[in-house]
Amino acid sequence: MNDAFEVLKQGGLVMLPLALCSVTAAAIAVERAVALRRRTVVPPGLVAAVDAFTAGSDPEALRTACRRSGGAFARIVEAVLDARRLDRTQAIETMHAIGRTQVGSLERGLTLLEIIASTSPLLGLLGTVLGMVNVFNVITAHGIGDPQVLSDGISKALITTVAGLSVAIPSLACHSWFSRRVDDLAVEMHERATALLAKLYSTPGR
């Protein structure tokens, strides 16, 4: 604990926003890892109910399954059921609209994660530049003197660059992984909702 505090102290004030970025990125990563589990977004029970739905099935039974399951896919299915009285073109537009809304909710926090991944190296570089300015100010005032002092100053100045990259690399990796996860879930939800819509419009009288 003392070593970590000493590193933060050596890095200067720039280490404070980097520490905040680190904590924020970790919180987003944990929250999204839980929220983007497939069984949370596309509950298996609801998938089974949608797959089992046929032309003669009761739409209200499927609506009950949606309310019981919850999740983004459940809200899309409910919207499709609500739109079944519209003509097919309007129903498709409604499905796409609610789909975009639900995909947007799945992407919550990813923009901030991307910003952290982009700005953390810049913050680290800023800290290093400020540290090097201090080193050269010392050289200007007192000369090179002891080379060991100079090397220690440069080493401390580079701490923020290391910290910035240490925050940015996992943040970028998490952003890429979660973005791909959202894309995969969006494709699956779209395919299943489209299949359900086709079944509804093959039902006489809907």
Side-chain angles (χ1 to χ4, degrees), residues 43 45-50 53 57-71 73-82 84 196:
L46 181 57
V47 169
V50 170
F53 186 87
S57 299
D58 180 11
E60 293 307 313
L62 184 55
R63 190 188 300 277
T64 300
C66 290
R67 292 170 179 167
R68 185 169 55 248
S69 298
F73 183 52
R75 287 185 278 276
I76 293 174
V77 170
E78 282 197 90
V80 170
L81 293 175
D82 290 339
R84 69 184 186 276
L196 174 62

Side-chain angles (χ1 to χ4, degrees), residues 136-199:
F136 286 119
N137 285 339
V138 171
I139 292 175
T140 301
H142 304 289
I144 295 179
D146 186 358
Q148 182 65 38
V149 175
L150 178 61
S151 63
D152 286 346
I154 295 174
S155 176
K156 291 178 182 179
L158 291 173
I159 287 175
T160 55
T161 294
V162 174
L165 292 174
S166 297
V167 174
I169 292 172
S171 297
L172 180 60
C174 288
H175 176 268
S176 298
W177 191 86
F178 289 136
S179 295
R180 179 58 185 269
R181 182 67 171 164
V182 169
D183 289 343
D184 290 343
L185 290 170
V187 169
E188 180 178 359
M189 290 190 295
H190 180 268
E191 290 177 348
R192 293 186 181 280
T194 300
L196 174 62
L197 194 66
K199 291 177 182 180

